[in-house]
């Protein structure tokens, strides 16, 4: 599986990522209060056409600091990149990003009833911005405390960010 063109550029940039900032916010119509920020470190691992981000996040919340570990896997093809997430011991494919356009485009949203997930991937010179938006798949949900509209942003940096 040869990685060429735009994907090769994204692949090379991803390999240089070592730190990230994490932020989750609950938007106005949400019943959740998923507001937190944190800083993280990444160890990258390469297996064929895959890059694995082994992440350690320090979350700073009102109740104190928490350390979390997470694993994300990016699988590269000629004209797309898949995002997989480690959950309960195995990887699950969440998003496919098409990379043959002028910008990176999400192929389709991910259904995880009762929620739906949208993803975004933006590549800048020295950083990568990965966003996940979580909302209810059913607009008519009226359960108390179950309306979700969350946005999670991971901003990945090389080590030379001051």
């Amino acid at each position: 599986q040869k990685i060429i063109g735009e994907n090769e550029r994204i692949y090379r940039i991803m390999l240089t990522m070592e730190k990230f900032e994490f932020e989750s916010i609950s938007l106005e119509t949400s019943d959740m209060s998923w507001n937190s920020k944190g800083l993280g470190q990444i160890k990258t691992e390469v297996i064929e056409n895959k890059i694995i981000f082994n992440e350690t996040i320090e979350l700073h919340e009102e109740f104190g600091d928490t350390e979390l570990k997470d694993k994300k896997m990016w699988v590269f093809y000629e004209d797309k990149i898949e995002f997989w997430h480690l959950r309960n011991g195995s990887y699950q494919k969440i998003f496919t990003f098409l990379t043959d356009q002028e910008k990176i485009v999400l192929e389709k949203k991910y259904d995880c009833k009762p929620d739906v997930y949208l993803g975004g991937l933006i590549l800048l010179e020295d950083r990568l911005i990965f966003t996940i938006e979580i909302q209810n798949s059913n607009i008519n949900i009226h359960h108390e405390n179950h309306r979700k509209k969350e946005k999670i942003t991971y901003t990945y940096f090389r080590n030379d960010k001051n």
Side-chain angles (χ1 to χ4, degrees):
Q1 188 76 48
K2 193 160 167 12
I3 303 166
I4 52 168
E6 179 63 359
N7 274 13
E8 186 185 16
R9 192 171 79 88
I10 299 167
Y11 181 87
R12 285 191 178 165
I13 288 175
M14 274 195 183
L15 276 184
T16 66
M17 297 294 141
E18 294 183 8
K19 293 178 175 174
F20 64 96
E21 289 171 0
F22 168 88
E23 181 179 38
S24 68
I25 49 173
S26 290
L27 304 173
E28 61 286 336
T29 53
S30 176
D31 290 324
M32 308 291 154
S33 57
W34 288 2
N35 298 303
S36 60
K37 281 188 169 188
L39 289 171
Q41 304 283 332
I42 309 166
K43 284 196 167 61
T44 53
E45 196 182 327
V46 176
I47 302 166
E48 295 164 349
N49 63 327
K50 304 171 187 71
I51 295 178
I52 294 168
F53 280 7
N54 293 295
E55 300 179 351
T56 306
I57 311 172
E58 285 279 339
L59 282 186
H60 307 296
E61 297 170 297
E62 49 189 317
F63 312 111
D65 295 353
T66 319
E67 186 178 277
L68 298 175
K69 296 213 177 285
D70 196 22
K71 271 190 174 223
K72 297 180 174 63
M73 180 166 71
W74 305 92
V75 185
F76 287 78
Y77 297 96
E78 206 170 301
D79 55 358
K80 66 182 182 184
I81 299 169
E82 293 173 351
F83 165 67
W84 295 63
H85 188 242
L86 188 69
R87 208 168 152 191
N88 304 329
S90 63
Y91 282 102
Q92 295 178 335
K93 184 168 88 165
I94 311 293
F95 299 130
T96 299
F97 293 103
L98 305 176
T99 52
D100 56 353
Q101 321 286 318
E102 275 180 35
K103 59 180 200 226
I104 303 169
V105 178
L106 179 66
E107 186 178 55
K108 62 176 190 292
K109 50 195 184 198
Y110 174 71
D111 271 314
C112 181
K113 300 268 186 286
D115 301 329
V116 63
Y117 290 59
L118 295 153
L121 198 56
I122 298 169
L123 193 69
L124 302 172
E125 283 300 303
D126 62 339
R127 69 192 59 183
L128 178 74
I129 301 166
F130 175 45
T131 56
I132 301 172
E133 287 189 45
I134 305 165
Q135 41 192 256
N136 295 117
S137 47
N138 180 356
I139 300 302
N140 303 320
I141 283 193
H142 292 302
H143 306 303
E144 283 299 300
N145 305 325
H146 280 73
R147 281 180 312 221
K148 280 188 193 159
K149 193 154 174 60
E150 322 307 321
K151 184 169 186 177
I152 301 170
T153 305
Y154 294 89
T155 305
Y156 294 98
F157 301 100
R158 296 195 180 119
N159 211 12
D160 49 22
K161 178 186 182 261
N162 41 24

